Amino acid sequence: MTPTNLRIEDAIPVFLRCLRFLLFLFIFTASAGLPAAGVLWNEAAAAEVQGVETFLKTTCHDCHANGEEEGGLDLAVLGAELSDVALFAKWERIYDRVADGEMPPAEADQPTAADRQAFLNALGTQLIAAHAARKGTVLRRLNRREYENTLNDLFGTNLKLAQQLPEDGRAHEFDNVGAALGLSMVQLQKYLESAEAVLDESIADTLAAPESKVVRASYADTRGAEQWLNKIWLHRDDGAVVFFRSQAYPSGMLREANVREDGWYKVRVTGYAFQSDEPITFSIGATTFARGAEQPTFGYFAFAPGKPTTIELRAWIPARYMIDVTPYGISDRNNEIRQNGVIGYKGPGLAIQHVEVEGPLTDEFPTRGHRLLFDGLNRKEIPPSNPNDRRKPWYTPKFEIATTNPSQDAAQVLQRVATKAFRRPATREQIAPYVELFETQRQEGAGFEEALRTAVTALFCSPNFLCLRENEGWLDDYAVASRLSYFLTRSAPDDELLAVAARGKLTTDRDVLLAQTERLLAHPHSARFVEDFTDAWLNLREIEFTNPDGALFPEFDRFLQYSMLEETRGYFRKLIDDNLPVECVVKSDFAMLNERLAEHYGVAGVRGPQIRPVKLPADSVRGGLLSQGAVLKVSANGTNTSPVVRGVFVMERLLGEAPPPPPPGVPGVEPDIRGATTLRELLDRHRDQANCRSCHQSIDPPGFALESFNPIGGWRERFRSLGDGEPVNVEIDGRRVRYKWGPEVDATGRLADGEKFSGYREFRDLLAEQDDVLTRSLAEKLLTFATGRELGFSDRAEIERIAGEMSVSQGGVRDLIRLAVTSSIFRRK
């Protein structure tokens, strides 16, 4: 119910106090915890400092001081303030290059092993201290997805709140890192609007749950069907209408199978494969006439030949949407229907007898949000002046709260709501401003419910809700519960997890923490973790960013893209569920396939649209993330591929190495390209420049290996071209392709350590052998996502410990998650 005299401006005093407090926290935590003098050379570490200075003078100054600044590094002017993030990064880079043996270069005089180690120990101690002081100061705000999930889970709604909020900032792929999540007045205004919308949706404004109805519709009876029946569509004696073409006009939109209000619905489609020995695949989705509106696809299914069968699914369908059934993989290639008519046509078709839509489905009435607000209160209908009005369709009941002590009753409700919102027991001091706001509203004439709504709306703009409450050092049980829950279910802790936290078991009993980890991994909401983590880690959220060139890649379609996402998410899920080795990230003897992906990848014997594990031939190029269509599509631009882009993708996402940006003044491709005819030759010449060689020796080889895959993940021996080249004599769905064969693909290369590979298969095998590197990288990605902060120098020792335990135990991906949540990185701030 939306109160008629609710004035959100009355919430402004508390709202502004929340805003001032929140901004104060951001400012305070940006500087708190840093050492008084964040300098490298401090008196407490004089001996270590002397070791660093001596090493630099004797080993590095010839090239990086006294007027020399190779690689843009001049130690004589390099500052030592490690509280400066940019300077810290430079010193960290110096540490790594010395530790890896890159510096001093091989042709220079080399320090003794003891001198090198003394330098690393001295500099490492300073870097650890500086990073440890800084990493506990970040205030972590809920990102858009976490905010949406939390409110929907608390109130039992299904609102698309994330779409209404400003886009979140990103740090090293992830959009839940606190340092990248700012706050603005616009955002706070959106939070107010979102909280109001959730209350509107969750508070019951009727006396009973909405009536669920079943609507059955047939294409034979849909509006305008007469112009298609027995002309384009075949109308059979059993009432079925047969479609013989995929994604053609008229579409499979069924006007009569529509919904009047938002909600969950059961959709049942009954039909069979017509004139076909094989099952016929089709999609079930929803469509609307609203311009620019989302057109969701609920899934892909198949009907077998023979007797009619029914497919049933459950889906959230917005108001004024209609069911849309679209066949896949069938076509009248020779235009026989147009020439001779549909009657007598012998091609395969999809026969649909009828579609049923049941709903809206009510799992609980009133909602859990309604009960959260009103349990314990006497909320009753205000009787209409004419009792007969209740029978009239336009009647909307009005309610009131009967109470003899409004302030006490409101305080109890706000205590309960705040405890849920703050993810820990709320104190009287914390809820006092909201009780004060409630009382102010009452004094100005608002009813109990209206005043309560204003206070609750303000409460959900509190920093205690919008931000995770994590004090520096070891986290308390409630903070661990929140980290674990937002990590694995992307929402607030449920009642069981909070009860365990209340008993103090999460921080004192490792087995209890692991038991809760296992429970949440088995929770239905863990699908959110798989989706959000892979979206960020593998950049799957950019799958819609580029549409492949239709002339170059005519085989690309919506079913293929849908399957690509299902493949990668299903694959990562299987790595967790079956606790498969981390090397499966890049190499496996199976793939998650359906018929569409199998066709695209050239894997025989796969039927049906459902994704499932498929054993691969021994010589298959598939298996592992790098051979999956979604990964290959997001690392291309829809028209061509870049070895640099894909090489950086492999380094950053799988190997955990972030290549530095090009030196100032160095263009992406070297200026002298005379004689270069291919991109590979351009890159070969680019590496001839001293400033570019070291980075491209690492970046380019993975990119060269992946040149064997085109922008939509298909295997290729030659590039495609729309210009010069050898004509291609191929048809796709009855259409002759327009592209031509260009140059042959050269997927050979040499890794930075000198190992050569003759193509993708050998490269994949070499990569899979680096299981320790893959483990460290995946551990860092998981913990960055779990903690909401970028890992750094002081976390290295713990990551090495995790990798060492994984190596000894020969553990799998599920074991890695268990080690992550029991690590000091996860349990400390």
Side-chain angles (χ1 to χ4, degrees):
M1 180 178 69
T2 303
T4 56
N5 64 341
L6 173 63
R7 296 185 302 164
I8 196 61
E9 61 268 22
D10 292 331
I12 286 178
V14 168
F15 172 71
L16 290 178
R17 281 198 292 272
C18 290
L19 175 59
R20 284 195 295 269
F21 176 55
L22 188 56
L23 293 178
F24 165 75
L25 281 177
F26 272 106
I27 294 169
F28 174 76
T29 54
S31 57
L34 295 177
V39 240
L40 177 61
W41 323 130
N42 58 70
E43 295 179 3
E48 293 172 347
V49 169
Q50 185 61 42
V52 170
E53 290 183 333
T54 300
F55 183 89
L56 293 175
K57 287 178 180 178
T58 60
T59 310
C60 308
H61 276 206
D62 285 349
C63 298
H64 300 288
N66 303 319
E68 300 292 336
E69 48 179 306
E70 288 192 16
L73 175 63
D74 185 351
L75 293 172
V77 298
L78 181 65
E81 293 282 346
L82 293 185
S83 57
D84 183 307
V85 176
L87 282 177
F88 183 96
K90 290 184 178 181
W91 282 107
E92 186 176 24
R93 177 72 171 158
I94 292 170
Y95 178 96
D96 288 338
R97 299 200 72 178
V98 173
D100 293 342
E102 294 181 31
M103 288 294 161
E107 62 272 16
D109 294 337
Q110 296 297 309
T112 66
D115 287 344
R116 186 186 298 268
Q117 192 58 52
F119 168 78
L120 294 174
N121 291 342
L123 180 55
T125 299
Q126 298 296 307
L127 293 174
I128 289 172
H131 180 259
R134 186 172 67 245
K135 70 183 181 183
T137 65
V138 175
L139 182 65
R140 178 182 170 193
R141 170 176 65 76
L142 300 182
N143 72 3
R144 296 189 302 171
R145 287 269 290 177
E146 293 165 337
Y147 177 88
E148 175 181 288
N149 293 339
T150 302
L151 281 178
N152 282 334
D153 291 347
L154 284 178
F155 285 88
T157 53
N158 191 49
L159 297 174
K160 305 299 183 184
L161 301 175
Q163 297 176 1
Q164 311 305 317
L165 297 173
E167 187 172 353
D168 294 311
R170 300 179 189 176
H172 288 268
E173 304 130 39
F174 296 99
D175 62 0
N176 68 331
V177 174
L181 297 176
L183 196 68
S184 67
M185 286 295 294
V186 171
Q187 198 154 15
L188 285 171
Q189 179 62 38
K190 292 295 184 181
Y191 286 142
L192 282 170
E193 295 171 4
S194 296
E196 288 184 285
V198 168
L199 293 178
D200 286 342
E201 185 73 13
S202 61
I203 294 176
D205 59 0
T206 61
L207 298 172
E211 181 183 358
S212 181
K213 299 179 180 179
V214 177
V215 174
R216 173 180 284 198
S218 167
Y219 286 99
D221 300 323
T222 192
R223 190 190 319 171
E226 63 278 358
Q227 62 181 313
W228 311 118
L229 293 176
N230 293 331
K231 297 173 185 176
I232 300 297
W233 296 344
L234 179 66
H235 189 195
R236 303 201 70 213
D237 292 342
D238 62 3
V241 170
V242 184
F243 302 96
F244 290 106
R245 298 184 296 178
S246 300
Q247 298 180 352
Y249 185 81
S251 72
M253 178 185 70
L254 187 54
R255 292 172 183 258
E256 287 69 25
N258 61 67
V259 303
R260 301 294 183 184
E261 56 183 302
D262 298 349
W264 290 101
Y265 291 83
K266 287 182 180 178
V267 179
R268 290 180 283 268
V269 179
T270 301
Y272 52 92
F274 178 65
Q275 294 181 166
S276 175
D277 296 330
E278 300 289 338
I280 291 180
T281 296
F282 61 96
S283 66
I284 302 176
T287 187
T288 182
F289 291 118
R291 181 174 296 179
E294 181 184 4
Q295 311 289 326
T297 297
F298 304 137
Y300 284 81
F301 310 90
F303 280 143
K307 294 182 179 180
T309 56
T310 299
I311 298 292
E312 180 177 292
L313 60 88
R314 178 185 169 102
W316 178 270
I317 306 179
R320 296 179 295 280
Y321 270 72
M322 300 156 282
I323 299 302
D324 189 344
V325 178
T326 302
Y328 172 78
I330 56 175
S331 65
D332 176 16
R333 296 185 177 181
N334 299 318
N335 289 321
E336 294 179 28
I337 293 175
R338 179 178 296 178
Q339 296 171 13
N340 305 318
V342 73
I343 298 175
Y345 175 68
K346 300 303 182 183
L350 178 70
I352 305 295
Q353 285 190 323
H354 50 76
V355 175
E356 288 184 349
V357 179
E358 178 183 350
L361 306 174
T362 304
D363 295 329
E364 53 183 4
F365 184 85
T367 66
R368 73 193 71 143
H370 181 101
R371 298 195 304 272
L372 179 65
L373 293 179
F374 299 122
D375 275 359
L377 298 179
N378 184 16
R379 186 178 189 256
K380 59 184 182 180
E381 180 196 15
I382 301 173
S385 55
N386 183 354
N388 292 327
D389 286 349
R390 291 195 180 98
R391 303 173 185 171
K392 298 177 181 178
W394 48 258
Y395 175 71
T396 299
K398 297 181 179 179
F399 298 89
E400 65 179 357
I401 306 295
T403 175
T404 57
N405 194 334
S407 293
Q408 180 177 319
D409 288 347
Q412 290 176 350
V413 171
L414 290 170
Q415 181 92 26
R416 180 170 66 225
V417 175
T419 294
K420 287 285 189 180
F422 298 169
R423 300 169 283 272
R424 61 176 65 235
T427 65
R428 287 186 178 181
E429 292 76 13
Q430 287 174 323
I431 69 166
Y434 307 101
V435 175
E436 178 186 343
L437 176 59
F438 169 83
E439 292 171 343
T440 300
Q441 288 275 278
R442 291 278 292 164
Q443 292 167 7
E444 296 185 3
F448 184 101
E449 183 171 331
E450 298 159 14
L452 182 63
R453 279 181 55 122
T454 301
V456 169
T457 300
L459 187 151
F460 280 99
C461 293
S462 163
N464 283 311
F465 171 69
L466 295 176
C467 302
L468 296 178
R469 185 173 167 185
E470 298 175 340
N471 294 324
E472 188 175 354
W474 291 101
L475 302 179
D476 65 24
D477 282 79
Y478 289 108
V480 171
S482 288
R483 273 199 178 183
L484 188 66
S485 187
Y486 279 105
F487 177 31
L488 297 179
T489 67
R490 312 296 295 128
S491 187
D494 60 12
D495 290 341
E496 179 176 336
L497 188 54
L498 288 174
V500 174
R503 297 196 297 271
K505 292 293 186 179
L506 292 176
T507 57
T508 60
D509 193 326
R510 184 176 186 273
D511 290 339
V512 171
L513 177 58
L514 288 176
Q516 289 300 310
T517 300
E518 293 293 339
R519 182 178 72 85
L520 295 185
L521 281 172
H523 195 285
H525 287 168
S526 67
R528 297 171 178 170
F529 158 60
V530 171
E531 180 175 340
D532 289 358
F533 181 69
T534 54
D535 274 5
W537 174 38
L538 301 173
N539 204 30
L540 300 188
R541 58 191 157 206
E542 302 290 352
I543 194 74
E544 298 274 4
F545 187 70
T546 57
N547 290 319
D549 187 301
L552 280 173
F553 304 102
E555 67 268 43
F556 186 81
D557 55 42
R558 290 181 61 188
F559 186 19
L560 179 58
Q561 178 163 298
Y562 177 93
S563 302
M564 286 176 175
L565 286 175
E566 292 294 302
E567 173 191 20
T568 301
R569 289 169 179 161
Y571 187 80
F572 185 66
R573 179 90 247 182
K574 187 167 180 63
L575 296 186
I576 297 172
D577 290 347
D578 292 1
N579 198 25
L580 297 178
V582 176
E583 74 171 42
C584 288
V585 165
V586 296
K587 182 182 179 181
S588 65
D589 61 359
F590 75 95
M592 301 295 290
L593 304 179
N594 61 7
E595 62 184 1
R596 182 67 187 93
L597 287 167
E599 174 192 15
H600 187 54
Y601 295 162
V603 178
V606 181
R607 295 287 182 270
Q610 283 71 44
I611 296 286
R612 70 274 198 184
V614 174
K615 182 77 172 180
L616 294 171
D619 63 344
S620 176
V621 299
R622 304 297 168 176
L625 293 171
L626 290 179
S627 65
Q628 294 177 6
V631 171
L632 293 161
K633 183 177 186 293
V634 299
S635 59
N637 67 9
T639 300
N640 52 47
T641 59
S642 165
V644 175
V645 172
R646 282 183 169 172
V648 169
F649 185 97
V650 173
M651 290 187 66
E652 289 184 339
R653 314 277 171 159
L654 300 187
L655 302 180
E657 301 175 15
V666 177
V669 178
E670 52 86 26
D672 182 12
I673 59 172
R674 291 171 295 177
T677 59
T678 67
L679 182 56
R680 188 183 183 103
E681 289 180 4
L682 287 173
L683 290 170
D684 286 342
R685 291 176 175 271
H686 192 62
R687 284 196 303 277
D688 287 341
Q689 297 190 34
N691 286 342
C692 305
R693 186 180 307 114
S694 62
C695 291
H696 279 276
Q697 283 178 340
S698 299
I699 293 172
D700 294 348
F704 289 149
L706 292 176
E707 284 289 82
S708 290
F709 298 99
N710 66 30
I712 61 170
W715 182 261
R716 64 187 176 189
E717 302 288 346
R718 299 173 67 177
F719 294 98
R720 296 183 185 184
S721 170
L722 294 177
D724 297 334
E726 177 186 334
V728 179
N729 187 22
V730 175
E731 288 189 358
I732 296 178
D733 290 334
R735 295 172 292 127
R736 190 175 186 84
V737 302
R738 296 165 49 193
Y739 63 81
K740 299 176 183 178
W741 289 128
E744 292 185 356
V745 171
D746 181 359
T748 62
R750 182 196 300 266
L751 299 180
D753 61 6
E755 286 272 13
K756 293 182 179 180
F757 57 86
S758 62
Y760 172 73
R761 292 180 181 85
E762 288 189 6
F763 167 76
R764 176 192 61 188
D765 294 344
L766 292 172
L767 204 60
E769 292 174 1
Q770 302 181 41
D771 54 345
D772 56 335
V773 175
L774 296 171
T775 298
R776 283 195 298 270
S777 177
L778 183 54
E780 290 175 2
K781 303 300 183 185
L782 287 167
L783 281 165
T784 298
F785 186 73
T787 61
R789 72 169 176 84
E790 181 186 352
L791 302 195
F793 198 89
S794 67
D795 301 305
R796 292 185 176 188
E798 184 71 344
I799 292 295
E800 288 298 328
R801 183 193 66 79
I802 291 172
E805 286 199 28
M806 286 285 289
S807 178
V808 170
S809 66
Q810 296 296 297
V813 173
R814 196 179 193 92
D815 291 327
L816 185 58
I817 292 174
R818 290 160 59 92
L819 286 170
V821 301
T822 55
S823 70
S824 61
I825 295 174
F826 184 85
R827 296 182 296 115
R828 283 183 67 98
K829 181 175 180 180

